[in-house]
Amino acid sequence: MPVQLKAKLVKKEQLKPDIFKFSVEAPEIVKDAKQGHFIEIRVTDNVEPFLRRPISIYNMEKEKGILEFIFQVKGKGTEILSKKTEGDLIDIVGPLGYGIFKYDNYQNIAVIGGGIGVFPLYELSKNAKNDGKNVSIYLGFRSKDFVVLEEEFKAVSDKLVLTTDDGTYAEKGFAIDFLKQDVEMGKIDCIYACGPLPMLKAVRNYAIEKNIPCQISLEEKMACGMGVCLGCAVKTAKSSQDNPEYWHVCKAGPVFEAKEVEI
């Protein structure tokens, strides 16, 4: 059940010039939160900006009640949030979402992400690794300047492949190309993905083509996080021109079985 609280910012890290990692005290949220859930943050007590900002959960330390999230400064709201200092209280609602990453039925899992879409994949990878799963991770970035969390993901994986579009760091190319190699060798039982829409489409279509279970986390403009504003609709795979059918990412997702949604 989601709760609203004022969470104390206990640690602030700047990973890149425009990317920040916040650690907050939120025991009431982390006790029920699972991999794939998200939170909604009110960045200011002022009228503007009015809407909360949806942000994925990056990591949780449940025994300490610590919740960690990472965000990129993209507009006025996230810019205000980035100015918070350690000791400040942050207005958070969570955990939110219904669909979560599930891996109980699979042993050899592939985790693939791109850009800032890699953040919600860490908690999944950590938990799966701790539960004895074989975790192969494929992360793609535009260039060396955009690579983040390499050591963190390396620590929670059996195999980590980093790619850059321009070849300025690690492997040149796209993460999905290296995933395909392992799929063809029979090393993967299920795929988990989050990232830019073109990447998600490619992963989804490939998984369906190869008949491999695949779960994707969708990122939409979720102003309320509770299905009230209706701003985060995604078309279901059952939809037709005569009978369109939609789910709302904040309530039915943000994690979906890839074959169940049309992106």
Side-chain angles (χ1 to χ4, degrees), residues 6-9 84-85 87-91:
K6 295 291 184 71
K8 182 180 179 180
L9 176 58
K84 301 286 187 182
T85 59
D88 285 350
L89 299 179
I90 301 176
D91 189 332

Side-chain angles (χ1 to χ4, degrees), residues 187-204:
K187 296 182 177 181
I188 304 301
D189 301 330
C190 188
I191 301 171
Y192 304 80
C194 184
L197 191 56
M199 187 210 79
L200 284 182
K201 285 183 177 180
V203 172
R204 173 189 179 274

Side-chain angles (χ1 to χ4, degrees), residues 54-174:
I55 297 180
S56 301
I57 294 174
Y58 161 70
N59 180 48
M60 293 180 286
E61 298 179 29
K62 289 188 178 270
E63 67 283 355
K64 297 180 180 179
I66 298 296
L67 180 150
E68 295 183 327
F69 60 91
I70 302 176
F71 64 95
Q72 182 178 36
V73 177
K74 286 190 170 184
K76 185 176 181 180
T78 46
E79 183 178 2
I80 292 172
L81 185 60
S82 72
K83 304 299 184 185
K84 301 286 187 182
T85 59
E86 293 180 2
D88 285 350
L89 299 179
I90 301 176
D91 189 332
I92 301 177
V93 174
L96 295 167
Y98 175 77
I100 61 171
F101 291 115
K102 299 176 182 178
Y103 53 76
D104 291 349
N105 296 329
Y106 309 104
Q107 180 59 34
N108 304 299
I109 74 169
V111 177
I112 180 169
I116 61 174
V118 307
F119 303 150
L121 298 173
Y122 178 80
E123 181 73 11
L124 158 69
S125 303
K126 179 190 73 176
N127 291 341
K129 180 66 175 171
N130 288 341
D131 287 338
K133 307 299 182 180
N134 297 320
V135 183
S136 298
I137 301 177
Y138 312 81
L139 304 180
F141 302 93
R142 276 191 281 170
S143 68
K144 182 179 180 179
D145 293 338
F146 294 91
V147 175
V148 290
L149 304 174
E150 178 179 2
E151 293 305 315
E152 287 84 349
F153 275 100
K154 184 181 294 184
V156 296
S157 64
D158 296 278
K159 174 180 181 176
L160 174 64
V161 177
L162 286 182
T163 70
T164 49
D165 297 352
D166 60 4
T168 51
Y169 188 75
E171 301 284 353
K172 182 178 181 180
F174 300 110

